[in-house]
Amino acid sequence: MDDAANRFFIYEDDPDSPGWKRWQFRDSTRYNAFLEPLLVRVEDGQARVRMMPRHEHSNMRNDVHGGALLGFMDVALFAGARGLGVLAAGGAVTLDLSAQFIGGAAIGEPLEARVELLRETTRMLFLRGLIVQEGKPPIASFTGTLRKSSPPPEPA
């Protein structure tokens, strides 16, 4: 991992979850902290990105709010691309994100985005994913395009 990625993110083995990497922003005042900690694991060319939905992610039905799901999808594109080794942290922007909601997600049960890389070009990553919870039908599907960019500049 490059120095810029080390400066902004933690990406290391999670001692509480063998086989998983912890992917977390070093600055807990950023949006990502709302969803973190995230766990990442790659199996058979697919990145599995996991979060634990909490009460602050809930809607009035006590399911995960659609906005929290959309935020998770967006962050999972980056965490998944990092896990797949095609992106360093902070090195891209989301060009588009399309989501199809299929069912509700429960609070307090691990929520997982299964992300796969469809194609990589010099400047673009095309990905798709599925949001699932164990023992339930799929919750949502999504596709996204990331444009690779230079990492953020050094802090002043």
Side-chain angles (χ1 to χ4, degrees):
M1 183 169 22
D2 64 17
D3 289 338
N6 284 323
R7 194 173 69 228
F8 295 107
F9 285 89
I10 296 166
Y11 187 73
E12 61 193 18
D13 292 340
D14 188 309
D16 299 325
S17 304
W20 292 83
K21 298 268 190 195
R22 177 180 284 256
W23 193 79
Q24 189 168 355
F25 227 112
R26 290 188 185 276
D27 181 352
S28 64
T29 66
R30 302 286 183 175
Y31 175 78
N32 288 34
F34 178 66
L35 302 170
E36 293 172 341
L38 297 178
L39 299 176
V40 180
R41 177 184 204 144
V42 176
E43 295 177 342
D44 301 322
Q46 185 179 72
R48 296 171 56 194
V49 182
R50 188 176 282 178
M51 72 168 282
M52 180 61 75
R54 303 178 299 269
H55 178 74
E56 60 265 30
H57 302 126
S58 68
N59 59 23
M60 297 301 290
R61 296 175 54 109
N62 205 35
D63 285 334
V64 179
H65 189 284
L69 286 170
L70 285 167
F72 178 50
M73 290 173 200
D74 184 55
V75 172
L77 290 171
F78 289 83
R82 172 67 183 98
L84 293 167
V86 294
L87 185 66
V93 295
T94 306
L95 288 182
D96 69 63
L97 173 63
S98 176
Q100 301 76 43
F101 295 99
I102 304 168
I107 299 296
E109 297 178 27
L111 188 63
E112 191 170 295
R114 296 184 179 160
V115 179
E116 61 184 308
L117 177 67
L118 298 176
R119 182 165 181 223
E120 177 181 14
T121 68
T122 305
R123 300 292 286 171
M124 309 282 253
L125 297 171
F126 300 89
L127 303 118
R128 72 175 167 196
L130 192 64
I131 304 289
V132 298
Q133 277 183 322
E134 180 133 354
K136 296 184 177 177
I139 293 157
S141 64
F142 62 101
T143 58
T145 307
L146 303 182
R147 182 181 182 277
K148 298 177 198 176
S149 61
S150 301
E154 290 285 331

